[in-house]
Amino acid sequence: MEEDNSFSDFWKITYKEGKDFNKFLEALDDLVNNGNIKIALLNRLPAPLEILINEYDPDFKIEYREITGPNLTLKQNLNILNVYLGQCEYGEDLYIIDKYFFTSRNVKNYCDLLTSLFKYYKKKRIIIYCDCDINQAIYNHFYQLLQSNGTKLILKNNVKNLHDRFYLSNKEFGFSIGTSLNGYLLREGRISKLNDNEYKKLFNKYSINI
């Protein structure tokens, strides 16, 4: 377990793949003293893992985040994103706010990524907010993927002022991703869980007109 004191309000502790994850959790549990329930949430998360612990919070809330991109293997990158998408499985709808969701310079590779993530992903509806020139091959591929699972696709294009990328369940869970999905495997980025206030603000904004 490695400590980084560069944060004034947080301890940053990094677990690196290959180390004993159970010992890491035990050490983290000792550090927060009452973290058994919260730490159980971390068991689903793959390595490499960064955990931020708010030293001044009386409840010792744990925030977790992952750094993804070309420094990881394809399997590691997919596992990380699948963990977060899995948390969004509760609830009928998934909202994706991603400006460039339906465009890519490498259509085949992007379609392969979509297949890896959504082939067995069942929801009542997936609602996508974007602002790009729709690549018809990507759209058709994704539409057919969802149709095979009985999932309805709702597209909201030409939505202005989009920048960050968010995934929101209608069951009080959401996360942000540092890059558009079409660049997920190509550029380093961060995935992190939204806190309650962030989730409510975004969900209220994007679910109102559906």
Side-chain angles (χ1 to χ4, degrees):
M1 190 166 66
E2 300 174 358
E3 255 186 68
D4 182 342
N5 296 318
S6 60
F7 291 86
S8 58
D9 294 336
F10 291 91
W11 292 320
K12 184 176 76 170
I13 302 167
T14 303
Y15 167 76
K16 294 183 178 179
E17 190 172 25
K19 295 186 179 180
D20 189 320
F21 191 56
N22 289 328
K23 288 184 179 179
F24 170 77
L25 291 179
E26 290 174 4
L28 184 61
D29 191 23
D30 290 340
L31 181 61
V32 300
N33 197 25
N34 63 344
N36 284 325
I37 295 176
K38 299 182 183 70
I39 287 176
L41 299 174
L42 302 175
N43 282 312
R44 296 187 59 187
L45 296 175
L49 170 68
E50 287 187 353
I51 302 172
L52 299 181
I53 306 173
N54 192 331
E55 181 181 0
Y56 303 106
D57 190 321
D59 294 325
F60 287 102
K61 292 181 181 178
I62 295 176
E63 303 176 15
Y64 50 85
R65 67 185 188 182
E66 281 72 47
I67 305 299
T68 65
N71 291 329
L72 303 184
T73 66
L74 173 63
K75 183 178 180 180
Q76 286 174 322
N77 278 306
L78 291 177
N79 283 346
I80 289 171
L81 190 49
N82 274 321
V83 166
Y84 282 85
L85 284 172
Q87 295 290 327
C88 287
E89 285 181 346
Y90 304 101
E92 296 181 333
D93 297 334
L94 174 67
Y95 296 82
I96 300 176
I97 298 92
D98 185 337
K99 184 174 183 176
Y100 301 113
F101 189 89
F102 282 114
T103 185
S104 176
R105 294 179 180 177
N106 192 321
V107 173
K108 182 184 183 304
N109 286 354
Y110 187 42
C111 287
D112 288 345
L113 175 62
L114 292 173
T115 299
S116 298
L117 295 171
F118 292 99
K119 184 176 182 179
Y120 302 108
Y121 198 77
K122 294 184 179 181
K123 306 290 286 186
K124 182 177 181 180
R125 305 182 302 179
I126 291 183
I127 303 99
I128 297 182
Y129 287 83
C130 60
D131 182 21
C132 63
D133 293 330
I134 303 295
N135 182 294
Q136 200 61 44
I138 296 173
Y139 177 88
N140 291 342
H141 179 78
F142 191 65
Y143 177 85
Q144 291 168 8
L145 272 179
L146 300 189
Q147 191 176 47
S148 67
N149 290 328
T151 301
K152 181 179 180 181
L153 173 61
I154 298 176
L155 174 61
K156 298 284 188 178
N157 195 19
N158 300 316
V159 180
K160 303 304 178 185
N161 300 318
L162 298 181
H163 185 270
D164 288 2
R165 290 80 176 176
F166 302 104
Y167 290 68
L168 310 169
S169 164
N170 64 326
K171 286 293 183 180
E172 299 185 355
F173 180 86
F175 64 93
S176 65
I177 180 171
T179 177
S180 286
L181 191 59
N182 61 19
Y184 177 70
L185 301 176
L186 305 175
R187 291 183 288 275
E188 189 172 79
R190 188 182 80 174
I191 300 181
S192 57
K193 179 181 178 293
L194 299 174
N195 64 41
D196 290 344
N197 289 334
E198 291 169 335
Y199 168 83
K200 289 175 182 177
K201 181 178 179 179
L202 290 165
F203 184 78
N204 290 339
K205 177 179 179 180
Y206 289 107
S207 65
I208 191 169
N209 294 320
I210 302 300

